[in-house]
Amino acid sequence: MRQMQISGRLTRDPEIKDGKYQMAKFSLAVRQNRKNEQGDYGVDYVNCMVFGKRASTIQQYFHKANQVTVAGEWSLNTWTGRDNREHTQLQLAVNDFDLPEFRNESTAKQTNSKNDPFDKNGDALDISDDDLPF
């Protein structure tokens, strides 16, 4: 089985191609787990493609710099460039994906303040033993 799941950031907005089936193409920058000799984390670039109705979902919700997780079947494409050197590129035919979280700073503050019982006045809550579930 040649299945793979990766998480990374979109390097650009998805490119949509219409034909018999709609196709979305995009590239993910995936951080490597180990630091290189200079002490930096390396990055791998994975070209991804999605077909059919999922392509329009990708077009609507995926944008440059979004952190996304995708899964699908991988393949290696090799070709000889103009420089007569052999090149290899990892490609993923995506069949499942998570939509990116769209949280900006103001949304995060609003969400946190709604869930924080001490946000308004800092008073402690009056909780009796009858209120506890154990």
Side-chain angles (χ1 to χ4, degrees):
M1 238 166 106
R2 295 167 30 140
Q3 296 293 313
M4 178 168 105
Q5 179 176 338
I6 57 173
S7 182
R9 293 202 177 273
L10 271 78
T11 60
R12 63 184 182 276
D13 286 342
E15 176 185 335
I16 302 299
K17 293 189 177 190
D18 290 315
K20 185 175 180 181
Y21 299 102
Q22 190 176 40
M23 179 177 74
K25 293 173 69 174
F26 57 94
S27 182
L28 288 182
V30 181
R31 189 185 87 164
Q32 296 174 352
N33 289 331
R34 295 189 184 112
K35 293 182 179 181
N36 60 21
E37 294 83 26
Q38 292 80 28
D40 300 320
Y41 289 100
V43 176
D44 293 315
Y45 296 94
V46 180
N47 289 331
C48 301
M49 58 186 170
V50 181
F51 296 96
K53 291 181 181 179
R54 293 178 182 177
S56 61
T57 303
I58 294 286
Q59 180 185 25
Q60 184 177 359
Y61 293 105
F62 280 30
H63 302 287
K64 182 178 179 177
N66 284 149
Q67 177 80 31
V68 297
T69 300
V70 296
E73 185 174 332
W74 63 269
S75 62
L76 286 176
N77 296 330
T78 57
W79 70 95
T80 303
R82 292 181 184 165
D83 56 359
N84 289 329
R85 291 180 44 202
E86 186 105 351
H87 299 274
T88 303
Q89 177 65 48
L90 181 62
Q91 187 164 323
L92 186 66
V94 175
N95 56 30
D96 194 19
F97 55 87
D98 290 336
L99 294 175
E101 287 189 30
F102 294 104
R103 291 182 58 146
N104 59 30
E105 202 170 299
S106 64
T107 305
K109 287 179 183 176
Q110 290 172 357
T111 303
N112 289 339
S113 66
K114 288 178 185 176
N115 295 333
D116 187 357
F118 303 105
D119 186 49
K120 294 197 180 351
N121 56 13
D123 295 336
L125 296 175
D126 183 25
I127 300 174
S128 69
D129 289 339
D130 295 336
D131 293 328
L132 299 175
F134 46 88

